[in-house]
Amino acid sequence: MKINYLLGKKSFAILWGLLILGLCIGCQKDLLQTGNTDDLQTVELKSVKLNNFMVLAKSETLPIGFETQLAPYGQILKSMPEIGLVVVKPTTADFEMKISKLDGVMAVVPDLTVKWIEPTNFILASKKFLKNSNAPSIGNAEPYFFYQWGLDAIDAPEAWNMGYTGKKASVFILDSGIDAEHPDLASNLNTSLCKSFVPGEAYNIDAGNYFSHGTHVAGIIAAADNHYGVIGVAPDAEIVAVKVLSEYTGSGDFSWVNAGIVYAANNGADVINMSLGATFNRNGFYLDENNVLVKIPAVYLQSLILAQQRAVNYAYKKGVVIVVSAGNEGSNADGDGSIFRLPAELQNVIAVSATAPDYWYRDLMNGVSDPLLDIPASYTNFGKSLIAIAAPGGDFDFYDAYNWHWDMVFSTISEGWGWAAGTSMASPHVAGVAALIIAGNSTKMSPQKVTQQLLKTADQIGGNGISTYYGKGRVNAFRAVTE
């Protein structure tokens, strides 16, 4: 497998791309967070595509005959009886008005397509070897273990040394698909359960050596202990890829995500990881799959929230721990009632903020024995009302043109390995630790108990109580399985 290292002008280009990405996210945040509707009205708005609709029943499960009521007005594309939701393609005029008048209908809302993950800048693996800074463990046999500062930050090697590796725990990864043949992932991947809800796209991504969001997330959770490449937080856990976002655009319909949650709950998931998110202004403004500002009636947003909350509640009641990324807008959720972040602000989810080292590579080169690995990432969303816990998400520092990437998170990509940064990388660290807890317990643990264990054993690096940036603290794998 060919491993490349991007040098010279390409490194400058990627660094510049990261800076531009940060600036663009900042502009979007400012635009969506304005409390003045007049300011938003000055933006040239595009019309929202209203192709398919989600119809929510008043009851949380579909009543008998509900689909029969809808059939005369449209083609039923998908039914989720567990959460009282049907996806319909209209075949009559005034579909929304007619359906909303039917008995048992609570809401009719467009099945919006949203960009749930942003394109990620990354660089491929270097052949340069560094002195290993992680504690001695099974990870030492992995060639790229020394790049994985995040495992050191959360004391994962110490947990493995106590025999906790996630065996018999199942983590469902709702994302953009996976490289199913990747040598670090294939042995832990349950291909019989993997599924795609994205029309025309398989869960197994296209061949080629490139960045794959879902593959990167999967490696953080459960790259195998196989003396090859990297190692995951829970290297013996089972992983299942549930494709709910396009691998090409990072976009997906709300119904795809909701269906993925229900599917995972119905197929034995212990943990769901969702490194994805969509941000809405409560007035109805949001950025569509093309990052164009559009507006929907505010009542639609409430229905979208309700539909996804139902899916999350269903999984939670089925015993699933749901871990989600907090988002990368660098915004403070406290006191900001104008914004709603899905799924991070839903109930029964664990929202994760991102931490990063402070010039880890420099400290490593200078022989610093205890490098600082826990500063808040520059981009992470924060706020006591949002963040439950923190975990390594990485960042980039201005070392020089060749070394700025070392503070990012190193994991699997399509047909290789590479660095990336984001709360998308923080969430799977927590999901992996949740798998360690569940697998190490002799009896079935409820999501409440797993969450309590994660939070009470986190390192309170931000002070006692709930921290603005760290929530209950930065996750600690060793303490989570031994205390």
Side-chain angles (χ1 to χ4, degrees):
M1 189 169 294
K2 186 178 181 181
I3 303 172
N4 298 314
Y5 181 46
L6 304 186
L7 298 174
K9 292 182 180 178
K10 290 188 178 180
S11 291
F12 282 114
I14 294 176
L15 177 56
W16 181 242
L18 275 169
L19 290 171
I20 292 174
L21 178 61
L23 290 171
C24 290
I25 289 174
C27 295
Q28 294 168 4
K29 175 193 70 175
D30 293 343
L31 183 59
L32 287 172
Q33 283 188 313
T34 178
N36 189 337
T37 305
D38 292 337
D39 292 342
L40 289 170
Q41 296 288 5
T42 63
V43 179
E44 182 181 357
L45 297 179
K46 305 291 183 181
S47 60
V48 180
K49 296 178 183 178
L50 303 180
N51 294 324
N52 304 326
F53 285 79
M54 293 188 293
V55 182
L56 278 74
K58 290 180 180 177
S59 60
E60 292 193 358
T61 57
L62 286 186
I64 296 173
F66 190 80
E67 293 177 343
T68 303
Q69 278 186 296
L70 303 180
Y73 304 98
Q75 177 188 359
I76 296 176
L77 302 179
K78 187 183 300 294
S79 181
M80 301 176 219
E82 302 91 339
I83 61 172
L85 190 152
V86 180
V87 183
V88 184
K89 184 178 182 63
T91 57
T92 62
D94 299 322
F95 169 85
E96 186 179 356
M97 180 184 68
K98 292 174 180 176
I99 291 293
S100 62
K101 293 180 179 179
L102 296 177
D103 289 341
V105 172
M106 171 175 281
V108 185
V109 59
D111 189 11
L112 299 182
T113 302
V114 179
K115 189 179 289 294
W116 297 86
I117 55 176
E118 288 291 337
T120 306
N121 291 281
F122 74 100
I123 126 178
L124 301 180
S126 167
K127 293 181 180 178
K128 181 178 180 182
F129 289 86
L130 300 176
K131 180 181 177 182
N132 185 20
S133 62
N134 282 309
S137 68
I138 57 175
N140 286 77
E142 310 298 322
Y144 295 128
F145 183 49
F146 42 76
Y147 290 144
Q148 297 182 269
W149 58 265
L151 299 178
D152 184 23
I154 68 170
D155 289 344
E158 288 83 353
W160 306 332
N161 289 342
M162 297 296 293
Y164 296 92
T165 58
K167 192 173 182 62
K168 296 185 179 180
S170 182
V171 184
F172 280 56
I173 302 167
L174 273 59
D175 215 292
S176 60
I178 197 170
D179 177 1
E181 291 80 35
H182 197 291
D184 259 344
L185 303 176
S187 62
N188 286 338
L189 186 66
N190 186 334
T191 56
S192 65
L193 288 179
C194 292
K195 186 177 179 64
S196 175
F197 288 94
V198 180
E201 295 187 26
Y203 79 84
N204 191 1
I205 60 173
D206 286 347
N209 186 208
Y210 60 92
F211 182 81
S212 161
H213 190 276
T215 302
H216 200 271
V217 167
I220 296 169
I221 295 171
D225 170 22
N226 58 2
H227 300 191
Y228 193 85
V230 295
I231 188 169
V233 175
D236 287 329
E238 175 188 81
I239 50 175
V240 178
V242 181
K243 191 174 194 176
V244 296
L245 307 176
S246 170
E247 65 184 87
Y248 308 109
T249 65
S251 301
D253 291 0
F254 263 84
S255 66
W256 302 349
V257 177
N258 296 344
I261 297 170
V262 172
Y263 176 81
N266 286 340
N267 284 275
D270 293 309
V271 182
I272 289 174
N273 185 85
M274 290 194 287
S275 290
L276 51 83
T279 301
F280 288 81
N281 185 287
R282 289 186 183 273
N283 289 327
F285 290 87
Y286 75 101
L287 293 155
D288 69 7
E289 69 272 26
N290 299 311
N291 282 327
V292 174
L293 186 69
V294 294
K295 187 179 188 303
I296 54 174
V299 67
Y300 279 171
L301 174 57
Q302 297 308 311
S303 297
L304 291 170
I305 293 171
L306 173 62
Q308 196 155 96
Q309 185 67 69
R310 279 190 183 181
V312 165
N313 289 349
Y314 177 75
Y316 192 77
K317 290 174 184 177
K318 294 274 283 187
V320 185
V321 177
I322 303 149
V323 186
V324 305
S325 54
N328 303 331
E329 293 83 22
S331 63
N332 186 352
D334 293 342
D336 182 8
S338 66
I339 292 293
F340 197 92
R341 303 161 184 85
L342 281 166
E345 292 195 71
L346 296 176
Q347 297 177 3
N348 298 327
V349 303
I350 301 171
V352 185
S353 63
T355 57
D358 185 25
Y359 292 94
W360 169 76
Y361 175 77
R362 177 195 61 193
D363 288 346
L364 197 67
M365 292 297 95
N366 291 332
V368 176
S369 60
D370 189 21
L372 180 58
L373 303 176
D374 288 320
I375 63 173
S378 60
Y379 52 80
T380 188
N381 285 348
F382 57 98
K384 294 181 179 180
S385 61
L386 175 66
I387 305 303
I389 198 168
D395 215 333
F396 59 95
D397 287 312
F398 292 98
Y399 299 106
D400 54 53
Y402 304 105
N403 295 310
W404 56 270
H405 59 281
W406 293 111
D407 286 359
M408 301 172 84
V409 175
F410 193 70
S411 183
T412 47
I413 61 173
S414 180
E415 299 184 10
W417 301 265
W419 283 269
T423 55
S424 283
M425 285 67 245
S427 179
H429 280 88
V430 175
V433 176
L436 296 181
I437 295 170
I438 292 166
N441 203 62
S442 58
T443 58
K444 176 71 174 178
M445 293 183 72
S446 69
Q448 298 97 317
K449 291 292 186 183
V450 177
T451 302
Q452 288 171 7
Q453 185 67 8
L454 284 167
L455 300 185
K456 79 177 184 179
T457 59
D459 290 335
Q460 292 185 312
I461 52 179
N464 295 329
I466 300 175
S467 163
T468 300
Y469 277 96
Y470 304 100
K472 282 290 189 177
R474 191 255 305 116
V475 69
N476 185 300
F478 176 70
R479 293 183 59 199
V481 296
T482 59
E483 294 184 9

